Structure formats: C-alpha cells, structure tokens
Amino acid sequence: MAGAKHGVFHEKTSPFLREKMAESPVDFLRRQYLVDPAESAVKDLEVDRHYHSEVETVFEGRALRGVEKLYRRLVLVEPTSVCAAHCRWCIRGQYDTFTLNEEELDRVARYCGTAPENQDVREVLVTGGDPLMLVDRLDFLLDAIERHAPNVRVVRIGTRVPLQDPRRVDDRMAHALRPRSTFRIEIATHVNHPGELFSEVREAYQRLQDAGAVIYDQTVLLRGVNDNLDTLVELVEELRELRIEMHYLFHCVPIRGMDHHRTSLAEGLRLARLLTSSGRTSGRAKPMFTAMTDIGKITLYEGTILDRDGDGRVLLRSGYSHQDRLRWTPNWRLPSSAHVDEDGLLRVWYLDSTGGAEPATAASGATAGSA
Ligand code: SF4
C-alpha cells in the first residue's frame, strides 16, 4: 500500500497535452494540469486521501500492497501509482510512487479469489495511478485474475491515458485488454470538458471499444472548467454520441491546497438538478452527483445532508452498515470524522467548499433536506 505523504505534487504533462495547450486557448487543460500558486493555500481539515481505506491487508501471512477494500462485491487494486500526466485536483498526488512486481500481482489475484472475506467479491477495480501506463503488468494481472479468481465477473480499469496520451492506445494495449474467459472488461474514464475530446482522443476510445471494452465516465466537477450547465450538457451529449456511459459527477475532493478547483456542494446540487431534471439531456445521459468521503462514495439525494458545522463541514447520511463494513473489511476502523447512527448506519462529516464565495455560517448553510 502506498503511504500517504504531504510532499510536492510535481507538474507532469504529456507531449500530447503540451501540444494541445500550445495550440489554442484551452483553459480547460491548463486549469487541470498546470500548477497554480493557489495550491500553497492549504486549509484546515483538507485531507491527503479521499477516504480512509488504507487498512493493512494481510494475506498468506504477509502484508499485501496495492489493495484496498471497502465494499462487499469489490476489491480495488493499484498496480502502479504512475500516470501519463498529473491532474492537479487528484488524490494520487499525495501517494508515494510505487509499482507492484509480478509476484505481488499474482498474490493480489489469489487474494481476490481465495481470501475468506472475499467470497462475495464479483468485481475488481484496477486503478492507480493509471494501469494503462504499464500494459504488460496489466496483461499479467488480468491473466492472474482469470487463473486464480473465477468469482470475479467484471474487471474495471480506471484510465485517463486516452485523453492524456492517446498514441499509447495501440495494438499491444488492445491485446492486453482481450476478452478473458471468466470476466468482462469495462473502462472507467474521466472526461471533464467536451473540448478534451480531440479527434485523437475519440479515435483512442474507439480503439478500446473495438478491443471489446465497455467505457463509462466519471466526471469531476471543477471550478472554472465545467461548472456551468451549457458545458455539462455538451459533455454528456458528446459522451452519449461516443457510446461512453455517464456514471458519476463527482464533487471535487477536499485535497490539500486544491480548494480553488472546488465548487460548493450547493452549486453542484444546483447543476446536477438542472442537468438531470430540465429536459436538456436524455435519460441515458444523466450522472449521479456524488461525494467521496472518509467512509466511501455517497450520492447526494434528498435528505443526505443532515447538518453543517462552523468549520465548513456537512454531516452526510449513508446507507453503509457498520457491521457489514467490518465483515467485509475486518481491519477497517471508524475514522474520527464518522459515527454510527441509531440504525447502525455510518454518518460522516465532509468538508464543503465555498466555491470562492464568503464562507456560509452554520445557521445559513444547507441542512436537512437541502440535498
Ligand atoms: S485522475 Fe487519474 S490520471 Fe489524473 S492524476 Fe489521478 S490517477 Fe492520475
């Protein structure tokens, strides 16, 4: 497991992104990839991880690196923390650099298939870093999952390589993503602005689809990039056209020094409501507006926000059972931001943003029912 650190998140872009940034006024790229002086303004309560899943996993008598588990059906595997470019607002900037070797990947696959707490596991999410940066390792991992974990029916791969370095999507990658006998492959991607869908990017996604992958999208709501209705409507329409399913619209995580990328939850809810309930998008193109909290993802429905404190945090209600969590992840510990309610379900405090406006007072902030 990569240890969290509070070091410098170096600026990293690919030749492709540099080319595009040099071409035209593409603020939506610069804001996502270039270091901003505002990053030095670290706020109290900002975090270095989006949730506290970093429990030590012990398997076959030894610690197992590169595995996280919060949910019943899903194991998250991180074969590498390397990416083609560094998205400034991403949690991965706070991780140490690491890559798992083949022996470790084989153990990860055996863990998915044989650990007692994983008997209900049906999916593996391969993330990082970007797993498509190390295609041969990914190929090895997929073969190992096929061999050791026949319970796994879906392998999801999180990547921004098609957007950041589309030339990498080649025959070797298509071969690594070939269909396996025991699971299907889905690709999770983040497209945050319709302008990112350059012709090279569209072709790269098409090549992945030709290799047999189903692709879905998880957009991050970013201040000054996509926090307006017209941009979001255009984005979901473009993705629908490309047969990329819109899944999540994430509220930007309160990562250290990245508040300038965040909107308030109230603004996110306003945009999500207009995006989903205004008739401007079709039913197959509507994302769920979701926050990544210390206990996992919470989609914001009516009544999800229960309270607001004087530190700018909101109390969110979840449907996660504490007992189930301990059953599926025996070493999991309740984070200090969370507690268990009278029904045994987890509630968690989550840092909101003012979105650049004056801070709301506890009395004027969103409370019960405002979601
Ligand atoms: S969003 Fe993906 S590509 Fe960007 S820094 Fe995070 S892990 Fe890397």
Side-chain angles (χ1 to χ4, degrees):
M1 178 62 53
K5 65 171 184 180
H6 309 153
V8 179
F9 186 31
H10 295 289
E11 185 175 289
K12 181 178 180 185
T13 54
S14 62
F16 176 77
L17 290 173
R18 285 196 290 280
E19 205 178 284
K20 295 300 177 191
M21 282 191 265
E23 268 173 17
S24 56
V26 280
D27 246 17
F28 56 84
L29 289 183
R30 293 199 185 93
R31 282 177 186 266
Q32 291 190 66
Y33 293 109
L34 301 188
V35 174
D36 188 301
E39 290 182 18
S40 57
V42 175
K43 296 193 162 188
D44 286 349
L45 298 175
E46 287 180 337
V47 296
D48 51 17
R49 303 289 299 246
H50 65 80
Y51 54 75
H52 289 258
S53 54
E54 211 174 43
V55 290
E56 181 175 71
T57 305
V58 176
F59 178 64
E60 297 173 342
R62 277 186 294 151
L64 188 61
R65 287 203 306 163
V67 164
E68 293 182 0
K69 187 173 180 227
L70 278 188
Y71 310 122
R72 180 174 68 98
R73 287 174 59 90
L74 179 76
V75 173
L76 186 148
V77 178
E78 299 164 334
T80 179
S81 61
V82 174
C83 302
H86 288 165
C87 313
R88 303 311 304 167
W89 37 267
C90 177
I91 48 172
R92 304 296 159 180
Q94 316 285 345
Y95 286 27
D96 294 328
T97 304
F98 72 95
T99 294
L100 300 188
N101 61 36
E102 290 191 351
E103 192 267 332
E104 288 175 303
L105 292 172
D106 205 64
R107 283 184 69 223
V108 165
R110 295 201 299 276
Y111 165 76
C112 293
T114 63
E117 66 268 29
N118 290 343
Q119 56 182 322
D120 291 334
V121 165
R122 296 292 177 271
E123 293 195 31
V124 170
L125 173 58
V126 187
T127 175
D130 199 316
L132 292 191
M133 289 298 288
L134 293 174
V135 166
D136 293 339
R137 292 283 163 97
L138 179 66
D139 196 2
F140 181 92
L141 174 66
L142 295 178
D143 281 346
I145 292 173
E146 183 183 37
R147 207 164 43 246
H148 299 302
N151 51 316
V152 172
R153 299 287 186 228
V154 179
V155 174
R156 291 193 265 147
I157 298 166
T159 183
R160 292 201 91 202
V161 159
L163 296 155
Q164 296 172 339
D165 203 355
R167 281 163 278 217
R168 284 179 180 268
V169 183
D170 57 9
D171 289 347
R172 195 164 64 104
M173 189 179 289
H175 178 74
L177 297 173
R178 69 195 174 279
R180 305 306 203 273
S181 61
T182 52
F183 56 81
R184 71 167 187 270
I185 292 177
E186 297 178 353
I187 302 275
T189 196
H190 294 301
V191 187
N192 294 326
H193 191 282
E196 289 179 287
L197 295 166
F198 300 103
S199 58
E200 301 92 324
V201 173
R202 290 168 187 267
E203 283 161 21
Y205 280 125
Q206 179 69 57
R207 281 198 291 276
L208 291 176
Q209 286 169 330
D210 291 346
V214 170
I215 307 179
Y216 69 96
D217 175 74
Q218 337 189 87
T219 293
V220 182
L221 183 61
L222 295 168
R223 202 198 310 172
V225 173
N226 59 12
D227 60 337
N228 67 81
L229 187 60
D230 288 343
T231 302
L232 289 172
V233 168
E234 190 185 336
L235 176 61
V236 298
E237 281 174 357
E238 289 281 351
L239 292 175
R240 180 95 171 102
E241 194 70 25
L242 291 170
R243 291 184 292 124
I244 297 176
E245 198 162 304
M246 190 67 168
H247 183 39
Y248 282 123
L249 177 63
F250 281 126
H251 188 237
C252 187
V253 176
I255 295 293
R256 259 169 237 282
M258 299 301 166
D259 187 64
H260 56 290
H261 290 297
R262 304 182 78 214
T263 69
S264 64
L265 275 173
E267 178 60 4
L269 285 164
R270 187 187 75 82
L271 288 167
R273 185 165 47 244
L274 290 173
L275 191 58
T276 57
S277 312
S278 64
R280 290 191 58 180
T281 53
S282 88
R284 293 276 291 137
K286 296 179 179 178
M288 294 186 291
F289 182 54
T290 298
M292 286 181 167
T293 74
D294 289 347
I295 59 169
K297 296 185 188 77
I298 298 182
T299 297
L300 289 115
Y301 293 106
E302 183 74 23
T304 304
I305 300 177
L306 296 171
D307 202 356
R308 181 178 288 270
D309 71 9
D311 293 326
R313 298 186 307 172
V314 289
L315 180 64
L316 301 180
R317 179 206 302 262
S318 85
Y320 297 123
S321 148
H322 188 219
Q323 266 194 345
D324 283 346
R325 179 62 59 89
L326 293 176
R327 190 150 50 89
W328 303 326
T329 314
N331 291 338
W332 190 78
R333 293 290 167 268
L334 196 66
S336 59
S337 55
H339 63 268
V340 183
D341 72 11
E342 57 280 3
D343 298 320
L345 301 179
L346 299 177
R347 292 182 176 185
V348 64
W349 287 98
Y350 172 80
L351 187 63
D352 197 359
S353 172
T354 63
E358 287 299 305
T361 63
S364 66
T367 53
S370 65

